[in-house]
């Protein structure tokens, strides 16, 4: 039990170190929280967690070396950049068409929730460094956890997801709590800034992909 506890705690701390860094997931959470409230964080993390579970299984069955290949990294970088551009374009259109009204009640509904979960998965998948992290550092940590069997892997996964869940729930809660003080104009500004950040991130991914291709 002590070993499982150490794996859980170390995974939790590693997750916080990653979650605290700005990225696509944080951008989505900040942009959506005024509309959907504190549940935005858990919904985004759910999409992220499902994708990470699939990747974790892939690593266990031996796909780690494949994911570290330069060609794979370059492809993920370019495709990820395209996905981020698409997400940013959707956010710009939302502002241009004035499709959000903060004076209305918080948005609910299964369709909206499913879209937010999907956005969490897309935000993760669009980041090639997320895949690279799992294929290198993540794989190393999973290997150590696997020495304790399935229980070790589960402890690692739960600690990792709990770190993301608590952080992004806190962020969405803070943004949602400030909803009453956020004007319509300010909220549109938040969306535009978030979209611009995604465009810059997409450019970084494109450059990284091209450099990888040239170097190989």
């Amino acid at each position: 039990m002590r070993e499982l506890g150490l794996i859980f705690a170390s995974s939790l701390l590693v997750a916080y170190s990653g979650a605290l860094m700005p990225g696509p997931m944080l951008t989505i959470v900040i942009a959506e929280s005024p509309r959907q409230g504190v549940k935005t964080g858990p919904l985004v993390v759910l999409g992220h967690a499902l994708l990470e579970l699939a990747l974790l299984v892939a690593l266990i069955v031996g796909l780690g070396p494949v994911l570290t290949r330069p060609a794979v990294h370059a492809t993920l970088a370019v495709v990820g950049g395209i996905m981020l551009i698409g997400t940013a374009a959707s956010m710009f259109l939302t502002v241009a068409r004035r499709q959000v009204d903060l004076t209305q009640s918080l948005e609910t509904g299964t369709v909206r929730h499913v879209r937010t979960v999907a956005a969490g998965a897309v935000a993760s998948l669009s980041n090639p460094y997320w895949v690279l992290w799992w294929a290198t550092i993540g794989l190393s940590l999973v290997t150590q956890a696997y020495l304790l069997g399935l229980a070790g892997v589960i402890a690692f996964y739960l600690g990792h997801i709990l770190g993301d869940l608590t952080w992004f729930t806190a962020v969405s809660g803070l943004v949602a709590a400030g909803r009453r003080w956020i004007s319509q104009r300010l909220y549109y500004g938040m969306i535009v800034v978030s979209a611009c950040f995604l465009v810059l991130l997409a450019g970084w991914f494109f450059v990284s992909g091209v450099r990888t291709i040239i170097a190989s």
Side-chain angles (χ1 to χ4, degrees):
M1 287 298 294
R2 180 182 179 183
E3 289 81 1
L4 290 177
L6 289 174
I7 289 175
F8 178 86
S10 61
S11 180
L12 181 66
L13 292 175
V14 169
Y16 278 133
S17 68
L20 289 170
M21 294 298 292
M25 279 184 64
L26 181 62
T27 301
I28 298 298
V29 170
I30 291 176
E32 285 294 320
S33 292
R35 280 196 290 182
Q36 300 187 64
V38 68
K39 62 180 175 290
T40 303
L43 288 172
V44 170
V45 171
L46 176 58
H48 174 73
L50 292 174
L51 195 62
E52 288 202 323
L53 179 60
L55 184 57
L56 179 61
V57 172
L59 291 176
I60 291 176
V61 299
L63 292 183
V66 175
L67 297 177
T68 58
R69 292 177 181 174
V72 174
H73 173 69
T75 300
L76 289 172
V78 173
V79 172
I82 293 173
M83 293 171 69
L84 287 183
I85 289 294
T87 302
S90 176
M91 296 169 73
F92 283 130
L93 285 175
T94 296
V95 174
R97 296 172 179 174
R98 298 294 191 268
Q99 292 177 330
V100 180
D101 185 358
L102 287 180
T103 61
Q104 297 177 352
S105 58
L106 292 176
E107 295 183 14
T108 58
T110 303
V111 174
R112 169 59 64 179
H113 291 170
V114 170
R115 287 178 180 174
T116 306
V117 172
V122 170
S124 302
L125 193 59
S126 65
N127 189 343
Y129 294 98
W130 170 75
V131 178
L132 186 61
W133 184 91
W134 271 102
T136 53
I137 299 174
L139 180 59
S140 176
L141 294 172
V142 170
T143 300
Q144 294 299 316
Y146 196 67
L147 294 176
L148 297 178
L150 182 60
V153 176
I154 292 175
F156 170 80
Y157 179 74
L158 292 179
H160 190 80
I161 296 304
L162 183 61
D164 291 332
L165 180 62
T166 52
W167 168 247
F168 287 111
T169 299
V171 171
S172 60
L174 288 172
V175 175
R179 181 174 181 265
R180 69 188 69 180
W181 295 288
I182 298 176
S183 67
Q184 189 69 44
R185 185 174 182 178
L186 177 59
Y187 180 51
Y188 282 143
M190 290 170 59
I191 295 178
V192 169
V193 170
S194 297
C196 288
F197 174 74
L198 291 185
V199 171
L200 292 175
L201 204 57
W204 180 32
F205 290 168
F206 279 130
V207 171
S208 174
V210 172
R211 285 180 175 175
T212 301
I213 292 174
I214 294 175
S216 60

